[in-house]
Amino acid sequence: MSRGFTFRPGRRIHREQGMGLIHIELFATLDLVGQSPGGPEEDPEGFAFGGWQAPLLDEVAGAQVAAAYEGTDALLLGRRTYDIFAAYWPHQEGGEDNAIANLFNRIPKYVASRGAPDLSWAGSTQLGPDLAGAVREIRDRHQHIKVVGSLNLVQSLLREQLFDRLDLWVHPIVLGVGKKVFDGGAVPTNVTLLEPPVASPKGTVHLRYGITDGTPRTGDMSAPDRGVGRDD
């Protein structure tokens, strides 16, 4: 249970044929801090390193991020990220970020919030308290739903396995403080690497994972067969 949203214990939303995909897009440090990568005002609470991503961005990483949004037909955002985006992207059309601005301004935006957000950004809708049900409905309407930033929401999605793809950009920096990607108590989950990792010139590594069924297996490194698959 998180931030006022309701889940059905022990149930995971399985993707059925024809349903859309939930893609999580995350920027993290080597110690998996995901707080406030883009600027000091994103999430300043108890955090002095807001904007840590900017010095590490290069053309390769920038192109990877742009490519990740291809085909996106909806955004799923937490309240804080939504407010930041709503204050920025409507004013960027025609500028350097015109392509992303046009996309974000055109497609539907779904906001996970238990409060009363200002939904004046065109195409915005607040989700109800049943996040699992809301995700199912969004999947019925769209093919490629992107979750950007939104750490609190992401932790709920990871914990409840309400995602299909995870794009993780790991940056070559250790902060030692800040909110981490898995702070919310993620559950044991299997994922598979969908593409070979790609490192940018400044050392950022792009990892693309897909969720798979089951829970992580264990083994014994001292056994001849490493003990993999043993039941005892």
Side-chain angles (χ1 to χ4, degrees), residues 50-86:
W52 52 263
Q53 182 189 22
L56 299 171
L57 188 64
D58 54 38
E59 290 186 3
V60 171
Q64 290 170 346
V65 174
Y69 290 117
E70 293 179 2
T72 299
D73 58 354
L75 292 176
L76 173 57
L77 306 171
R79 168 71 178 271
R80 187 188 297 272
T81 299
Y82 173 81
D83 287 344
I84 293 170
F85 278 21

Side-chain angles (χ1 to χ4, degrees), residues 107-142:
I107 63 178
K109 278 76 65 175
Y110 298 96
V111 189
S113 173
R114 59 181 179 179
D118 177 2
L119 300 178
S120 56
W121 191 10
S124 299
T125 303
Q126 183 174 358
L127 301 181
D130 178 5
L131 185 59
V135 169
R136 189 186 300 278
E137 292 178 1
I138 293 171
R139 276 175 161 164
D140 286 340
R141 291 196 292 269
H142 304 285

Side-chain angles (χ1 to χ4, degrees), residues 148-160:
V148 188
S150 309
L151 263 189
N152 290 324
L153 171 61
V154 164
Q155 288 166 1
S156 294
L157 297 175
L158 293 174
R159 184 170 55 254
E160 300 297 329

Side-chain angles (χ1 to χ4, degrees), residues 190 215-219 228-230:
N190 284 324
T215 55
R217 300 170 67 190
T218 62
V228 176
R230 293 176 58 181

